Amino acid sequence: MSCAELLSAAESHLKKGELEAGERALRSACIWTPSTPNGWYNLGVLERQRSSVGRAVSCLLRCLVVDPRHQQAGTNLGEALLATGEDGRASMWIEHFTLQAPGHPAAWHNAGLDRSRRGDTRGARSALMRAIALNPAYGGALSALGLICQNAAENDMAAVCYQRAIASGHSGGRNLINLGVIQQESGQLEAAAAMYRLALQQNPGNFDVRAN
């Protein structure tokens, strides 16, 4: 089988939940053609799903050696490094990848989350706004920016971010609750109640909603 056929077979196996067969096909593809970035990337994703984070990092690095601009591998590598506890190395990579793939919204989203984790609120805001400029419907970036604004008592801006995140399909209970809190604090009680009801519909056992 050719490398392309092995990758296709691996995809078919993985879609069916046949992880061992999928892994064998991916490893064969990488042995057959070590310069196949997607083979290494998909193997890295599979290892991450199995919680073999160290192996995932190795596979993603091999992918990026072949294709330094591989967007999915670049963003996944930062997350995998964080999962290994190598915070410093993860931060260095995440920042590097914004230079390597400056037009990739997820690179800036990851940078925003990492900067926020490190207490660099101003840098986080800048990175998240860059992600949103590249993809105005990026729900994760809108949600993260909304939380930063809400924590800074910039409630009007936070509300807009949450509303846009919800409209993009990235509703999630947390966005609905946070928007409801802002509306409740501003006296928009009916609107707040509507947000809480939606959050409860998504998660009937949500304690945060019941506490409000």
Side-chain angles (χ1 to χ4, degrees):
M1 296 177 72
S2 69
C3 179
E5 289 171 333
L6 286 166
L7 289 175
S8 178
E11 182 180 2
S12 177
H13 286 307
L14 294 174
K15 282 182 178 178
K16 296 174 184 176
E18 300 167 353
L19 300 186
E20 291 186 4
E23 180 184 4
R24 285 196 299 271
L26 285 173
R27 291 196 182 281
S28 296
C30 292
I31 292 170
W32 184 269
T33 310
S35 60
T36 172
N38 288 336
W40 290 112
Y41 167 69
N42 287 320
L43 194 54
V45 171
L46 181 59
E47 294 289 7
R48 181 78 192 279
Q49 290 173 347
R50 290 176 162 176
S51 299
S52 299
V53 184
R55 291 180 181 178
V57 168
S58 296
C59 293
L60 293 169
L61 284 170
R62 288 291 298 269
C63 172
L64 288 160
V65 167
V66 177
D67 180 4
R69 296 180 182 275
H70 196 290
Q71 295 181 348
Q72 292 89 345
T75 53
N76 275 272
L77 178 57
E79 296 166 3
L81 286 169
L82 283 173
T84 67
E86 298 182 73
D87 292 0
R89 188 181 174 200
S91 294
M92 288 178 63
W93 170 256
I94 289 169
E95 293 296 336
H96 167 77
F97 199 62
T98 61
L99 302 176
Q100 194 76 5
H104 187 35
W108 292 105
H109 175 234
N110 279 4
L113 296 180
D114 185 61
R115 292 174 188 179
S116 180
R117 178 184 62 80
R118 292 186 281 113
D120 179 9
T121 303
R122 184 174 180 179
R125 184 190 295 250
S126 175
L128 292 168
M129 290 180 70
R130 185 79 174 266
I132 294 165
L134 291 166
N135 179 3
Y138 199 141
L142 287 161
S143 178
L145 181 59
L147 186 59
I148 287 174
C149 292
Q150 187 174 8
N151 288 338
E154 300 173 13
N155 285 348
D156 289 345
M157 179 65 176
V160 170
C161 290
Y162 292 138
Q163 288 166 347
R164 287 178 59 185
I166 294 166
S168 75
H170 191 88
S171 56
R174 178 51 55 189
N175 285 328
L176 294 166
I177 293 169
N178 288 347
L179 179 56
V181 168
I182 291 172
Q183 292 170 332
Q184 183 176 349
E185 289 176 349
S186 65
Q188 303 174 60
L189 301 185
E190 290 186 8
M195 291 299 106
Y196 296 149
R197 280 194 294 270
L198 285 173
L200 279 173
Q201 287 174 11
Q202 291 189 8
N203 182 4
N206 196 317
F207 176 78
D208 288 338
V209 176
R210 297 184 184 281
N212 284 291

